[in-house]
Amino acid sequence: MATDTYRFEFRIPNMLSDAELTLHLAQYAIEGLYGEARVRLESDYRVDRARGAILVDGGNEVGQAVVKAYTRLLAREFGEEAFHVRRVEAVIPASTEGCGA
C-alpha cells in the first residue's frame, strides 16, 4: 500500500498504548476536515509492539493531515523529547493487529 510512511518511535516505557489513543484523537480531528468516511478509507497505521513504534501512512492528503495533527498532539501531550518521528520507505500490511482508522 503506502511507501510514504512515518515511523513514530517512543522513548518513554509503556507509552505505546497511550500513543495509539492519541493517534485516534488525531484521526477524529481530521474527520472534521475530510469527513469520517474519507479518513476511514484513506488513513492507515500499524502498531509495531516489538519495536515500540507506530507506522502511519502519509501517502495521501488525508494521511499527511493525520501525521501533522498526530505529531502536534504527541508533542503537546508527552513533550517533544518523548518521541522521534522519521519518514521511511515501508509498506503497511492491509490486515494486521492495531491498524486502520
Side-chain angles (χ1 to χ4, degrees):
M1 293 203 317
T3 58
D4 200 7
T5 301
Y6 292 82
R7 180 179 183 85
F8 292 82
E9 297 174 340
F10 304 98
R11 297 182 174 132
I12 299 173
N14 303 319
M15 181 181 165
L16 202 55
S17 293
D18 289 338
E20 185 176 9
L21 292 175
T22 300
L23 177 57
H24 294 169
L25 289 176
Q27 290 176 316
Y28 298 147
I30 298 307
E31 285 177 5
L33 295 173
Y34 296 100
E36 180 182 350
R38 190 165 172 196
V39 170
R40 181 176 289 264
L41 291 170
E42 296 182 20
S43 72
D44 199 9
Y45 74 95
R46 181 174 65 91
V47 177
D48 184 348
R49 296 193 188 284
R51 294 183 178 93
I54 295 179
L55 299 161
V56 181
D57 176 6
N60 57 47
E61 185 179 344
V62 172
Q64 284 289 316
V66 169
V67 167
K68 289 176 185 175
Y70 184 46
T71 302
R72 188 63 193 135
L73 286 172
L74 284 174
R76 294 276 301 192
E77 186 171 350
F78 301 105
E80 293 188 12
E81 300 300 319
F83 68 97
H84 174 75
V85 59
R86 63 188 168 99
R87 194 171 165 185
V88 296
E89 292 292 324
V91 174
I92 297 177
S95 59
T96 59
E97 176 190 355
C99 67

